[in-house]
Amino acid sequence: MVALTFDDGPGQYTNSILDTLSAYNAHATFFVVGQNIDEETGAVMQRAVGMGCEIGSHTQNHADLVKADADTFRQQIQQADENILKAIGRYPYFLRPPYGDFNDDVRRHVGKPLAFWSVDTKDWKTRNTACTVSAALNNIEDGDVVLMHDIYGETADAVAQIVPSLVQQGYQLVTVSELIQLRFGDQVEPNRTYNYDYFRFQVPPLPA
Ligand code: NI
């Protein structure tokens, strides 16, 4: 199992990524920025949820939570939660802190499990379809969480190659929640950090 994840949307390329996922009955997780949610992108989020995808929070304004004061911190979490609730009828379960920046204070106060990744495609940096495809596929292992961004056309084009390739290799494309529950046999716990060490080194349960 592999979990593809997309940060910083929803945006103009999210729907095209959903088209690819839908063609392969694949799931993914979208860590959305609250300020990007409007009527149009809210409909895209509803489509994602209808396909079995998961919506997580990436804060209201892509804030660095370690640098935020207490009021800003609360607003960043709550406003994103409310916008997501309005769009899809439920609160997000996971938070992915912007810039991957967090500390023990953030973890304790956020009230959500923190979801990181084990494969960083650096798609935002290369803005190159071939680079993103090879970054995602070259080091992939069972249980990996792949970090991408659904606000770049190059990434949407890369996803159109990554998804069929992973499916052909026999990977099941699941959400982060599904990965934790089905691949690792764990219940998702609030205030827990799911990171590289978890996804790469957690020993999966023996088959029943
Ligand atoms: Ni981000």
Side-chain angles (χ1 to χ4, degrees):
M1 290 182 198
V2 163
L4 301 181
T5 66
F6 299 93
D7 291 7
D8 295 0
Q12 57 174 319
Y13 301 105
T14 310
N15 233 338
S16 128
I17 289 170
L18 291 180
D19 289 342
T20 300
L21 294 171
S22 168
Y24 292 88
N25 289 313
H27 298 170
T29 306
F30 295 85
F31 292 94
V32 302
V33 174
Q35 70 181 355
N36 294 344
I37 302 172
D38 56 24
E39 209 170 312
E40 199 179 328
T41 59
V44 174
M45 289 165 64
Q46 283 166 31
R47 181 189 176 204
V49 171
M51 287 168 46
C53 292
E54 179 166 19
I55 304 293
S57 173
H58 200 45
T59 75
Q60 177 64 14
N61 305 109
H62 206 270
D64 187 332
L65 293 174
V66 171
K67 294 178 182 155
D69 61 38
D71 279 349
T72 308
F73 183 99
R74 231 183 344 262
Q75 281 169 10
Q76 286 295 324
I77 305 301
Q78 282 177 1
Q79 287 175 2
D81 278 3
E82 294 308 320
N83 285 357
I84 291 167
L85 176 69
K86 220 162 88 183
I88 63 167
R90 52 165 298 179
Y91 288 117
Y93 201 67
F94 288 97
L95 176 88
R96 176 171 281 168
Y99 315 103
D101 199 15
F102 82 111
N103 56 23
D104 273 351
D105 264 358
V106 170
R107 189 177 51 77
R108 270 198 303 272
H109 289 118
V110 80
K112 298 181 197 303
L114 302 181
F116 294 89
W117 54 85
S118 51
V119 174
D120 184 354
T121 63
K122 299 204 163 39
D123 60 334
W124 61 273
K125 203 172 184 180
T126 65
R127 299 287 301 270
N128 179 290
T129 299
C131 288
T132 301
V133 170
S134 48
L137 296 179
N138 284 356
N139 293 305
I140 201 84
E141 290 180 18
D142 184 28
D144 268 337
V145 174
V146 181
L147 170 62
M148 291 183 277
H149 297 78
D150 53 327
I151 54 171
Y152 304 118
E154 297 89 344
T155 298
D157 291 344
V159 170
Q161 298 178 45
I162 292 166
V163 169
S165 173
L166 290 175
V167 168
Q168 198 186 10
Q169 292 176 58
Y171 286 108
Q172 200 181 334
L173 299 183
V174 297
T175 65
V176 172
S177 285
E178 288 168 337
L179 188 75
I180 291 168
Q181 287 163 27
L182 303 175
R183 169 65 172 68
F184 295 106
D186 275 345
Q187 292 302 314
V188 182
E189 294 166 43
N191 299 325
R192 182 157 180 189
T193 301
Y194 297 91
N195 57 12
Y196 182 91
D197 284 351
Y198 180 89
F199 297 122
R200 277 282 167 115
F201 300 120
Q202 184 86 350
V203 179
L206 292 169

